[in-house]
Amino acid sequence: MKYDPITNSLFIKNRQNFTNKLDKNSVAFFNSNDIYPISADSVLPFEQHRDIFYLCGIDQEESILVLFPDSINPDYREIIFLKETNEHIIHWEGEKLTKNEATKISGIKSIHWLGEFEKILNDILKEVEHVYINTNEHYRQKVETQTREDRFVEKLKKFGGLNFKKSNPILQYQRSVKDEIELALIKQACEITKKGFERVLRFVKPGVWEYEIEAEFSHEFLKNRSKRFAYTPIIASGKNSNYLHYIMNNKQCQSGEIVLMDVGAEYANYSSDMTRTIPVNGKFSNRQKAVYNAVLNVKNEATKLLRPGILWKDYHVEVGKIMTSELLKIKLLSKSDIQNQTSKNPAYKKYFSHGTSHHLGLDTHDYCDLKIPFEKNNVLTVEPGIYIMDEGFGIRLEDDVVINNSGDPTNLMGDIPIEIDEIESIMN
Ligand code: GLY
Ligand code: MN
Ligand code: MN
């Protein structure tokens, strides 16, 4: 792993909070992700399933976590199953986790090789009343791929006579409220993103290609122990800035255009998610400035609304009102547009069609229960944008913030340049 070791008190606490929510005499299983194939013998880099990582910190393929807190056998209360290494694996891939290392990372004493899994699984299934399976219930999930976890659930279903429950609703809520250690890891990801952006501010000039900007970020991320972008980066100059999920990053940037960069580093599997929009030649035009400041005002005002007790849905209605007032000021909307709007189809949607905020953490669009009001230590993005097809450009700004009881959120990206003067002065 490129990241520094994480103190295992985080994982011990996460397991404690999770198992406190299980029914009596229950077992829960968590599987690693597959290593996904490309073709022939090539594979994508391994990405650990975020739930098993969250509960034990083990970042290795084929691992299984079993939580059976009421087991009469102390060895079965918490178990990690690991792939057992051999000379061949060591020769080709290097060291795999030892049992001692897995204990150190996770705080779990009972570590077994995978070869023992079937026997112990049979023992446990004879004893338990409920089996918690881990299904993907995220509000935006549209995954068609059958995961290792899905295959395991199918296997369990063949046992017959088991009483299934779902882990995911517990984790959706639990993972949305961050521990201080998690906040520090997300902050670290934001710091790395900041370094990338500062590098890019000095790099961008007319004639650079979008992929060259991507490369500058990538350089800074890797140098700072981030293994990769937290999500596929969007480097969108000129009219590309109107395409919300543009990821081709293959156009040359021209003087007079802006370039929208929606880029974040991961660190220790935690995401950061930043958007900055800058002028290719180092100076915004007056029109670009007007739209930029409208977006910045919405971002600043929306951030103030993020406080405990507010519902995600109500927050979005309020942000819509702020956006409407900014769009009126820059004359993209008229009074008659407002008179003709309906609550289902507000006028501002013509220029701002996506959500303002999502939870952020081990997933960029992180777990949460949107029916529960915001609370302390939720981490959310704030990312308004105004996209003007007719004028050939769009502007989005995005920061990551932590909700506080005081009502004043902590902006984890508060020190990443965003004001027009700052941006122009660094670029020049
Ligand atoms: N970069 C993905 C998002 O902003 O939601
Ligand atoms: Mn983003
Ligand atoms: Mn985002």
Side-chain angles (χ1 to χ4, degrees), residues 231 262-263 273-275 358 383 396 398:
Y231 50 90
D262 187 340
V263 175
D273 186 2
M274 176 199 78
T275 309
H358 55 81
E383 50 179 306
R396 175 164 71 255
E398 176 174 25

